[in-house]
Amino acid sequence: LPRAALRAEPESPVFTGEAVTLKCYIESDSKYWTYQWYKGNNSTLVYQSQTNTFTISSAADQDQYWCRGVRDDKPTSSHLSIPITLTVKAERPKPELTSSHKGAALIGNPVVLYCKLDQSAGWKFYWSKHTQNPKNEIKTETPSYTIRSVSVSDRGQYRCRAGRGDPVYYTHYSDAVWIGVTGTTAPVTLMVFPRRSQHFYYEAVILSCEGQGDPTGWRVRRYTDRERVSDCPSHRRSNTESTCSLSSPYPSDTGVYWCESESGGSSNPVNITVHYGSNVILESPVHPVPEGDPLTLRCLYHTKPSNLAAEFYKDGSLLQTQTTGEMTIRTVSKSDEDVSDSGASFSVLSLLSSLMAVSPYLLVSIILGVKCYRAR
């Protein structure tokens, strides 16, 4: 006889009032089966249909279920499936909401919220701010919600809940988590060596928390294109967490980096981009440049030729051609500002614009479309 297999969606445990769909699969080439479902130790027939699904609209009791197929042709039935036990919990679950950031987040830094639910799979996650209003919820497929570049408007009280099935069965809301936002910088600056924002693949990069007083208690953190906040990997730290050594950086190390204290204080973030397969990058400052100051941009080759000329572009338009490979802006102004995403998947534009709101400096970013060539 053909074998039958029974599956439950969602899998146990489920919760009182939640809809559960049982699906019966028969190992046979024939499609003309009538499906039967049985319940309890006495194998009572509870449902029969031409389709292989049976929906329990509102789970209530813990019990065992079987299924099998029957038909007019031989063989006239399949084996009974192995029984599954549907475990039903009476108490509606409540997720735990946590934040990647302790204390107030500095404007421009990323913040990630995590909705932890230790239950079976199949959940989607719903996020609310200030009020528990389903109309204003944001839905995600994963248990995390990322604010890529936090601003003052993101300050507030957040909650999460999870839901699954059709109709959707919702958990309780989590307890609230307050996200504070500040424009006050910490007495620590993240220094980058070499002192530029773009770097070659496999070129060593060192990031260090430096500033007033002892940097002990500060650590280097980052937000990469994997859309998660993390510490500098342990195998890349120096003697302390305040220094991160990327001895052989990969493009996956591209991201936003900053220093963070145990109490939640933060430095201004810096953008680091690692280029793979490119022999040329633009040397530009990591930190904001004061308006009115001079600024020199250089076109760097991985292996510098003897005679290097460079064309500098902005928004696709040629600005200058320099035989020295560098261009100087004598007095930086806001009109010199431009943004390059440098291959990063998160929005550097929103990060820079947020920082502009609180910084007394003009952020001069990487000029677009830099092209370098060997002079003839």
Side-chain angles (χ1 to χ4, degrees), residues 133-160:
N133 187 346
K135 293 182 180 180
N136 298 328
E137 288 179 333
I138 296 174
K139 184 173 73 172
T140 63
E141 299 291 326
T142 61
S144 64
Y145 173 64
T146 301
I147 305 172
R148 293 190 173 114
S149 178
V150 71
S151 64
V152 173
S153 62
D154 294 313
R155 181 188 291 123
Q157 191 170 251
Y158 290 80
R159 291 181 175 86
C160 74

Side-chain angles (χ1 to χ4, degrees), residues 20-40:
V20 180
T21 299
L22 303 179
K23 293 187 176 182
C24 191
Y25 300 93
I26 298 175
E27 295 179 351
S28 171
D29 294 334
S30 175
K31 299 180 181 179
Y32 302 105
W33 292 99
T34 297
Y35 297 88
Q36 297 179 336
W37 281 266
Y38 299 85
K39 175 184 176 182

